[in-house]
Amino acid sequence: MHNQLVPRGRFISVEGVDGAGKSTQLSWIDRWLTSEKIAHIVTREPGGTPLGEKLRALLLNEPMHLETEALLMFASRREHLAGIIEPALARGEWVLCDRFSDATYAYQGGGRGLPKEKFEALERWVQDRGGEMIQPDLTLLFDVPPEVSQARIAKSRELDRFEREAASFHERVRNAYLERARAAPHRFRIVNAARPIEVIQQELHVLLSGWAHETLA
Ligand code: TMP
């Protein structure tokens, strides 16, 4: 139950294909929020809770039916919302989340080819709280062309089930992300992540300062 005396926190998700450089940018945003004295938590999907982290280990390593994969993503999300995200937002803290439902649309939808109607039903089940659909207030999509993400993935030491997928899989994931961003421009900001880190961070600084100013006004 939301405490009416404390303004609800803001929910920011960070998305992108594997190899988009999302982790580096996420750490930068974490430091930016701290420097702005905005109380926040940093968390991730799949994962974020003790059970969610166990599901993550299975999802990244165990072969499974593609529908099992989608269902486990939402099971991890349910746990995460109830145990971490909703309580933090109710305390007035901001939530910086490494991936959320858009990743399911991109990976299990675009990548694996499952129909989006399945996720819409699961989303209503998992994210609808008393008529209110919990969605990020802001989603930063770090976008890179396939040759850039593939080159970055190739440098990783150990690849998980998703990183091992063919380049065509990652291209479908990227296209599905871009399609989702186009469908929800009020919430998405697409960041060209093929540029040097400092340039991206300058853009993030302007983007986040402006957004925070607007959202807190
Ligand atoms: P990460 O390596 O960026 O933390 O993400 C773990 C992997 O999980 C990544 O390859 C994308 C995948 N994933 C999905 O396929 N569907 C989802 O809903 C989520 C949250 C992640």
Side-chain angles (χ1 to χ4, degrees):
M1 182 52 78
H2 183 222
N3 178 349
Q4 296 297 329
L5 298 175
V6 181
R8 198 174 171 77
R10 300 293 188 275
F11 183 8
I12 302 177
S13 64
V14 174
E15 302 278 0
V17 293
D18 293 282
K22 181 171 59 63
S23 312
T24 311
Q25 308 310 340
L26 195 107
S27 314
W28 187 88
I29 300 168
D30 177 19
R31 290 197 300 278
W32 181 83
L33 288 167
T34 305
S35 73
E36 292 295 308
K37 302 192 171 47
I38 296 174
H40 66 282
I41 60 159
V42 183
T43 186
R44 68 174 178 182
E45 289 205 357
T49 62
L51 177 60
E53 290 296 323
K54 287 185 185 168
L55 293 173
R56 178 186 176 91
L58 293 173
L59 280 159
L60 297 193
N61 301 303
E62 289 294 320
M64 63 182 74
H65 190 276
L66 77 173
E67 291 189 345
T68 309
E69 184 181 283
L71 289 165
L72 288 182
M73 290 295 176
F74 272 102
S76 164
R77 189 159 299 136
R78 182 71 203 94
E79 197 69 14
H80 196 203
L81 277 166
I84 304 286
I85 297 179
E86 290 183 74
L89 293 175
R91 288 194 302 271
E93 291 171 21
W94 288 31
V95 173
L96 177 59
C97 192
D98 191 346
R99 300 192 187 280
F100 195 64
S101 303
D102 296 304
T104 315
Y105 282 88
Y107 281 79
Q108 282 65 51
R112 303 270 191 240
L114 282 174
K116 74 172 190 307
E117 291 71 30
K118 303 249 186 212
F119 313 133
E120 284 166 354
L122 287 165
E123 230 183 347
R124 275 195 297 278
W125 185 12
V126 166
Q127 288 160 237
D128 189 330
R129 293 286 142 253
E132 190 207 352
M133 186 79 144
I134 299 180
Q135 285 288 12
D137 300 298
L138 173 69
T139 299
L140 297 169
L141 173 57
F142 290 97
D143 181 57
V144 285
E147 55 279 11
V148 175
S149 53
Q150 290 299 303
R152 287 186 187 151
I153 293 175
K155 286 193 197 137
S156 312
R157 267 179 306 129
E158 270 180 50
L159 300 184
D160 64 38
R161 276 175 66 236
F162 297 99
E163 291 164 333
R164 280 199 299 271
E165 287 290 342
S168 55
F169 174 91
H170 293 283
E171 214 168 323
R172 291 197 301 277
V173 171
R174 181 196 185 202
N175 291 335
Y177 266 133
L178 290 171
E179 201 178 299
R180 265 188 89 67
R182 276 193 290 271
H186 58 283
R187 153 167 92 82
F188 270 92
R189 298 291 181 277
I190 302 173
V191 179
N192 171 357
R195 297 168 301 166
I197 286 177
E198 315 77 64
V199 178
I200 299 172
Q201 288 170 354
Q202 270 167 17
E203 179 175 326
L204 281 179
H205 183 79
V206 173
L207 191 161
L208 287 169
S209 311
W211 185 82
H213 185 75
E214 215 175 275
T215 191
L216 294 174

XYZ file of all heavy atoms in Angstrom, residues 27 41 54 72 78 86 92 101 109 111 113 117 147 174 176 180 182 188 199:
147
model
N 26.175 1.910 -14.425
C 27.007 2.350 -13.285
C 27.107 3.868 -13.285
O 27.090 4.501 -12.232
C 28.437 1.818 -13.368
O 28.427 0.491 -13.677
N 17.668 2.620 -5.622
C 18.252 1.283 -5.582
C 18.598 0.889 -7.022
O 18.009 1.410 -7.966
C 17.292 0.235 -4.973
C 15.983 0.142 -5.791
C 16.991 0.535 -3.513
C 15.233 -1.160 -5.573
N 18.225 -17.189 -8.485
C 18.287 -18.625 -8.809
C 17.660 -18.860 -10.186
O 18.162 -19.648 -10.984
C 17.548 -19.441 -7.751
C 18.315 -19.517 -6.447
C 17.602 -20.421 -5.480
C 18.315 -20.397 -4.134
N 17.546 -21.021 -3.073
N 9.340 -18.122 -16.960
C 10.290 -17.885 -15.853
C 10.709 -16.422 -15.776
O 10.945 -15.897 -14.681
C 11.522 -18.793 -15.985
C 11.310 -20.278 -15.683
C 12.629 -21.039 -15.814
C 10.731 -20.496 -14.288
N 7.590 -11.130 -11.157
C 6.551 -11.044 -10.117
C 7.192 -10.910 -8.736
O 6.803 -10.109 -7.905
C 5.660 -12.308 -10.168
C 4.543 -12.270 -9.164
C 3.510 -11.229 -9.605
N 2.702 -10.724 -8.515
C 2.963 -9.617 -7.824
N 4.041 -8.899 -8.066
N 2.153 -9.230 -6.888
N 8.224 -2.533 -5.922
C 7.079 -1.799 -5.352
C 7.397 -1.196 -3.989
O 7.076 -0.025 -3.748
C 5.849 -2.697 -5.294
C 5.300 -2.995 -6.686
C 4.031 -3.824 -6.640
O 2.985 -3.266 -6.283
O 4.109 -5.032 -6.925
N 9.461 6.044 -1.753
C 9.862 7.293 -2.402
C 11.218 7.185 -3.073
O 11.746 8.179 -3.575
N 10.236 -5.618 -18.580
C 9.386 -6.353 -19.550
C 9.728 -6.117 -21.018
O 9.487 -7.004 -21.843
C 7.924 -5.965 -19.375
O 7.544 -6.209 -18.077
N 10.015 -12.364 -27.681
C 9.157 -12.007 -28.807
C 9.970 -11.913 -30.094
O 9.885 -12.772 -30.966
N 13.351 -12.141 -30.627
C 14.392 -13.161 -30.790
C 13.828 -14.560 -31.009
O 14.141 -15.228 -31.993
N 10.517 -15.410 -31.265
C 9.346 -15.468 -32.148
C 8.026 -15.781 -31.464
O 7.047 -16.107 -32.132
N 0.927 -11.307 -27.802
C -0.318 -11.434 -27.023
C -0.068 -12.229 -25.740
O -0.695 -11.998 -24.716
C -1.417 -12.131 -27.840
C -1.957 -11.306 -29.008
C -0.975 -11.154 -30.157
O -0.143 -12.069 -30.372
O -1.006 -10.093 -30.834
N 27.020 -5.210 -35.886
C 28.468 -5.472 -35.963
C 29.169 -5.010 -34.678
O 30.129 -5.633 -34.223
C 29.105 -4.889 -37.231
C 28.913 -3.418 -37.507
C 27.568 -3.047 -38.152
O 26.650 -3.898 -38.220
O 27.433 -1.876 -38.556
N 17.182 -6.500 -31.547
C 17.375 -5.051 -31.716
C 16.157 -4.413 -32.398
O 15.645 -3.378 -31.958
C 18.628 -4.794 -32.561
C 18.877 -3.332 -32.735
C 19.847 -3.028 -33.850
N 20.162 -1.621 -33.909
C 20.623 -1.017 -34.981
N 20.849 -1.705 -36.090
N 20.875 0.268 -34.962
N 13.113 -5.495 -32.501
C 11.928 -5.528 -31.625
C 12.013 -4.404 -30.587
O 11.008 -3.765 -30.262
C 11.813 -6.892 -30.943
N 9.369 -1.287 -30.190
C 8.714 -0.934 -28.916
C 8.960 0.525 -28.560
O 8.085 1.204 -28.044
C 9.225 -1.841 -27.775
C 8.291 -3.001 -27.593
C 8.564 -3.836 -26.413
N 7.916 -3.433 -25.170
C 6.615 -3.478 -24.950
N 5.793 -3.859 -25.891
N 6.121 -3.128 -23.769
N 9.414 2.935 -30.631
C 8.587 3.783 -31.512
C 7.134 3.793 -31.051
O 6.437 4.791 -31.166
C 8.669 3.274 -32.967
C 9.897 3.811 -33.693
C 9.792 3.570 -35.188
N 9.909 2.150 -35.519
C 11.056 1.521 -35.757
N 12.182 2.194 -35.724
N 11.083 0.237 -36.052
N 10.232 6.021 -23.797
C 11.547 5.585 -24.304
C 12.438 6.754 -24.721
O 11.957 7.729 -25.280
C 11.354 4.714 -25.549
C 11.209 3.238 -25.272
C 9.956 2.682 -25.097
C 12.323 2.421 -25.198
C 9.816 1.315 -24.852
C 12.194 1.054 -24.960
C 10.929 0.504 -24.791
N 30.989 10.716 -24.852
C 29.935 11.397 -25.620
C 28.568 10.895 -25.139
O 27.635 11.679 -24.924
C 30.119 11.134 -27.142
C 29.009 11.791 -27.944
C 31.478 11.613 -27.594
